[in-house]
mmCIF file of all heavy atoms in Angstrom:
data_model
loop_
_atom_site.group_PDB
_atom_site.id
_atom_site.type_symbol
_atom_site.label_atom_id
_atom_site.label_comp_id
_atom_site.label_asym_id
_atom_site.label_seq_id
_atom_site.Cartn_x
_atom_site.Cartn_y
_atom_site.Cartn_z
ATOM 1 N N GLY A 18 -69.058 50.646 -82.319
ATOM 2 C CA GLY A 18 -70.046 51.616 -82.802
ATOM 3 C C GLY A 18 -69.383 52.819 -83.446
ATOM 4 O O GLY A 18 -69.839 53.326 -84.476
ATOM 5 N N LEU A 19 -68.295 53.296 -82.854
ATOM 6 C CA LEU A 19 -67.554 54.416 -83.427
ATOM 7 C C LEU A 19 -66.924 54.018 -84.758
ATOM 8 O O LEU A 19 -67.016 54.761 -85.737
ATOM 9 C CB LEU A 19 -66.472 54.894 -82.455
ATOM 10 C CG LEU A 19 -65.548 55.994 -82.975
ATOM 11 C CD1 LEU A 19 -66.339 57.257 -83.313
ATOM 12 C CD2 LEU A 19 -64.444 56.274 -81.971
ATOM 13 N N ILE A 20 -66.335 52.850 -84.789
ATOM 14 C CA ILE A 20 -65.713 52.370 -86.032
ATOM 15 C C ILE A 20 -66.753 52.284 -87.136
ATOM 16 O O ILE A 20 -66.518 52.732 -88.266
ATOM 17 C CB ILE A 20 -65.017 51.009 -85.799
ATOM 18 C CG1 ILE A 20 -63.849 51.179 -84.819
ATOM 19 C CG2 ILE A 20 -64.557 50.404 -87.116
ATOM 20 C CD1 ILE A 20 -63.311 49.879 -84.264
ATOM 21 N N ASP A 21 -67.933 51.744 -86.818
ATOM 22 C CA ASP A 21 -69.012 51.654 -87.816
ATOM 23 C C ASP A 21 -69.447 53.036 -88.284
ATOM 24 O O ASP A 21 -69.646 53.265 -89.481
ATOM 25 C CB ASP A 21 -70.224 50.907 -87.238
ATOM 26 C CG ASP A 21 -69.972 49.421 -87.065
ATOM 27 O OD1 ASP A 21 -68.995 48.902 -87.642
ATOM 28 O OD2 ASP A 21 -70.749 48.778 -86.332
ATOM 29 N N ALA A 22 -69.600 53.977 -87.347
ATOM 30 C CA ALA A 22 -70.017 55.340 -87.716
ATOM 31 C C ALA A 22 -68.992 55.992 -88.636
ATOM 32 O O ALA A 22 -69.360 56.652 -89.619
ATOM 33 C CB ALA A 22 -70.219 56.184 -86.459
ATOM 34 N N LEU A 23 -67.716 55.797 -88.356
ATOM 35 C CA LEU A 23 -66.664 56.374 -89.193
ATOM 36 C C LEU A 23 -66.625 55.710 -90.573
ATOM 37 O O LEU A 23 -66.434 56.380 -91.580
ATOM 38 C CB LEU A 23 -65.305 56.256 -88.509
ATOM 39 C CG LEU A 23 -65.134 57.098 -87.243
ATOM 40 C CD1 LEU A 23 -63.852 56.729 -86.522
ATOM 41 C CD2 LEU A 23 -65.153 58.576 -87.575
ATOM 42 N N ARG A 24 -66.818 54.414 -90.607
ATOM 43 C CA ARG A 24 -66.787 53.700 -91.896
ATOM 44 C C ARG A 24 -67.983 54.051 -92.769
ATOM 45 O O ARG A 24 -67.880 54.097 -93.980
ATOM 46 C CB ARG A 24 -66.711 52.203 -91.660
ATOM 47 C CG ARG A 24 -65.347 51.786 -91.174
ATOM 48 C CD ARG A 24 -65.156 50.302 -91.183
ATOM 49 N NE ARG A 24 -63.796 49.998 -90.742
ATOM 50 C CZ ARG A 24 -63.473 48.978 -89.998
ATOM 51 N NH1 ARG A 24 -64.394 48.125 -89.595
ATOM 52 N NH2 ARG A 24 -62.225 48.786 -89.642
ATOM 53 N N GLN A 25 -69.140 54.290 -92.150
ATOM 54 C CA GLN A 25 -70.324 54.646 -92.923
ATOM 55 C C GLN A 25 -70.186 56.035 -93.495
ATOM 56 O O GLN A 25 -70.631 56.289 -94.616
ATOM 57 C CB GLN A 25 -71.585 54.524 -92.076
ATOM 58 C CG GLN A 25 -71.913 53.088 -91.743
ATOM 59 C CD GLN A 25 -73.011 52.965 -90.709
ATOM 60 O OE1 GLN A 25 -73.594 53.954 -90.277
ATOM 61 N NE2 GLN A 25 -73.290 51.739 -90.301
ATOM 62 N N GLY A 26 -69.601 56.940 -92.728
ATOM 63 C CA GLY A 26 -69.272 58.276 -93.198
ATOM 64 C C GLY A 26 -70.343 58.986 -93.991
ATOM 65 O O GLY A 26 -70.043 59.540 -95.037
ATOM 66 N N ILE A 72 -67.705 61.505 -82.731
ATOM 67 C CA ILE A 72 -69.144 61.287 -82.582
ATOM 68 C C ILE A 72 -69.510 59.899 -83.094
ATOM 69 O O ILE A 72 -69.401 59.612 -84.279
ATOM 70 C CB ILE A 72 -69.958 62.361 -83.335
ATOM 71 C CG1 ILE A 72 -69.533 63.761 -82.883
ATOM 72 C CG2 ILE A 72 -71.452 62.134 -83.121
ATOM 73 C CD1 ILE A 72 -70.117 64.874 -83.726
ATOM 74 N N GLU A 73 -69.943 59.045 -82.167
ATOM 75 C CA GLU A 73 -70.386 57.697 -82.519
ATOM 76 C C GLU A 73 -71.867 57.691 -82.876
ATOM 77 O O GLU A 73 -72.273 57.078 -83.867
ATOM 78 C CB GLU A 73 -70.140 56.738 -81.354
ATOM 79 C CG GLU A 73 -70.698 55.345 -81.600
ATOM 80 C CD GLU A 73 -70.493 54.408 -80.430
ATOM 81 O OE1 GLU A 73 -69.394 54.402 -79.839
ATOM 82 O OE2 GLU A 73 -71.454 53.677 -80.102
ATOM 83 N N PRO A 95 -72.966 61.594 -86.582
ATOM 84 C CA PRO A 95 -72.046 60.490 -86.312
ATOM 85 C C PRO A 95 -71.036 60.323 -87.454
ATOM 86 O O PRO A 95 -71.344 60.562 -88.616
ATOM 87 C CB PRO A 95 -72.970 59.270 -86.224
ATOM 88 C CG PRO A 95 -74.280 59.840 -85.779
ATOM 89 C CD PRO A 95 -74.368 61.171 -86.484
ATOM 90 N N GLY A 96 -69.841 59.925 -87.065
ATOM 91 C CA GLY A 96 -68.793 59.673 -88.047
ATOM 92 C C GLY A 96 -67.859 60.845 -88.268
ATOM 93 O O GLY A 96 -67.030 60.825 -89.164
#
Side-chain angles (χ1 to χ4, degrees):
L19 175 61
I20 295 166
D21 289 345
L23 293 170
R24 287 191 178 143
Q25 291 170 4
I72 305 171
E73 175 182 317

